[in-house]
Amino acid sequence: MVIMTTTSTHAFLPVLERIAEELEHTPGRGRAADYIPALAACDPRTFGMAVAELDGTVYGVGEWQQPFSSQSITKVFTLALDLAREGDELWEHVGREPSGNPFNSLVQLEYENGIPRNPFINAGALVVTDRLQTRTGDAAGELLDFLRAESGNPALDFDQEVAASETTYGDRNAALAHFMASYGNIDNEVPVLLDQYFRQCSIAASCADLALATGFLARHGIRADGTRLLSRSQAKQVNAVMLTCGTYDAAGDFAYRVGLPGKSGVGGGIIAVVPGRCTLCVWSPGLDERGNSVAGVAALDRFTTLTGLSVF
């Protein structure tokens, strides 16, 4: 085992290069999401990985500068933006517990009177987007501005093809939104909310962009420009929910293997946080049966093993 103890710039680059080389020879990389046609054509063996240090230094391997569909990764940033505005009141409308069910399940909502288990399943993300929409008038636009600022990339944008594809195949999300609205847990008109949510999920960004944008969680709530978005306690809350709920109904296995707060998306990306040290993003479109990148989880597993960095 190679344990990295140095704090010099690019200290992690040899680790990333080793991980990429190991994965190159690994068979069985899963399959791209096929229920969103715009994602189905992605090569499941594509791989990129980036690390961003606290000062904004970022480096990577493979296709680490290639934009991809962020999908559910964006739920982390929408959660942070809303939590910064309304604080603990948010948790009256969405829980903080793992779901144990698929990310688009309707079953649990009826048992729990329209209150989603956590902000990272689709129902919970719809609630958070709805509340941010009420407070800003343009939740997706607010998110895009934030990601552009934190990544330093003003070219980040929505992928209109992906957004249109999700709208066409969005009946399950519409059902979730209408069901929660029947319990009074949605403020905005459902078509408005769905438009905001699908645009949010369609944002295309690279591993470098997303690793940099996640940096505020490693800096305990401090943004790239030095201003504070979240209190230290709130940053801890977001990281905790990422650890326990960030990889759908495989969060326990992810915590066991990787040992870091993380959030995956069906575009094949996963972000992860080493508090006080760095942030990571890995991308490989081949997914397992639970919707997480096969190579992405393996890469983060190897990273924490080789560096000795985890929250445990």
Side-chain angles (χ1 to χ4, degrees), residues 83-283:
L83 188 62
R85 284 168 170 78
E86 65 169 320
D88 286 347
E89 184 182 344
L90 169 63
W91 303 119
E92 297 174 12
H93 300 270
V94 61
R96 302 186 293 271
E97 297 294 336
S99 67
N101 285 312
F103 59 85
N104 60 355
S105 173
L106 280 155
V107 175
Q108 229 161 22
L109 276 177
E110 185 162 17
Y111 291 137
E112 298 177 350
N113 300 317
I115 304 295
R117 271 291 179 100
N118 66 70
F120 296 148
I121 55 175
N122 287 15
L126 284 163
V127 168
V128 176
T129 299
D130 177 67
R131 299 186 71 75
L132 186 62
Q133 175 69 12
T134 297
R135 283 154 181 77
T136 66
D138 184 7
E142 190 79 11
L143 169 65
L144 183 62
D145 288 346
F146 177 81
L147 292 176
R148 286 173 171 173
E150 296 307 292
S151 67
N153 182 1
L156 289 186
D157 211 342
F158 306 110
D159 184 320
Q160 301 300 336
E161 180 186 0
V162 171
S165 183
E166 295 208 53
T167 300
T168 301
Y169 295 90
D171 290 340
R172 178 64 67 96
N173 286 312
L176 290 168
H178 282 293
F179 192 83
M180 291 185 293
S182 74
Y183 282 96
N185 202 23
I186 295 294
D187 294 333
N188 295 276
E189 295 295 324
V190 168
V192 172
L193 169 57
L194 292 174
D195 176 65
Q196 290 287 326
Y197 180 69
F198 294 144
R199 288 170 64 216
Q200 165 189 318
C201 292
S202 79
I203 292 174
S206 69
C207 291
D209 295 325
L210 291 169
L212 286 167
T214 309
F216 72 100
L217 290 173
R219 294 188 293 267
H220 307 295
I222 302 295
R223 294 185 60 169
D225 63 4
T227 61
R228 181 170 287 282
L229 175 69
L230 300 176
S231 70
R232 192 179 184 97
S233 177
Q234 288 172 327
K236 179 194 71 174
Q237 292 169 8
V238 175
N239 279 327
V241 178
M242 287 173 67
L243 180 69
T244 58
C245 308
T247 45
Y248 310 121
D249 53 336
D253 186 62
F254 185 83
Y256 174 83
R257 292 182 61 185
V258 176
L260 293 174
K263 182 71 194 84
S264 62
V266 295
I270 307 175
I271 56 172
V273 180
V274 184
R277 185 69 183 270
C278 65
T279 49
L280 304 100
C281 181
V282 60
W283 170 52

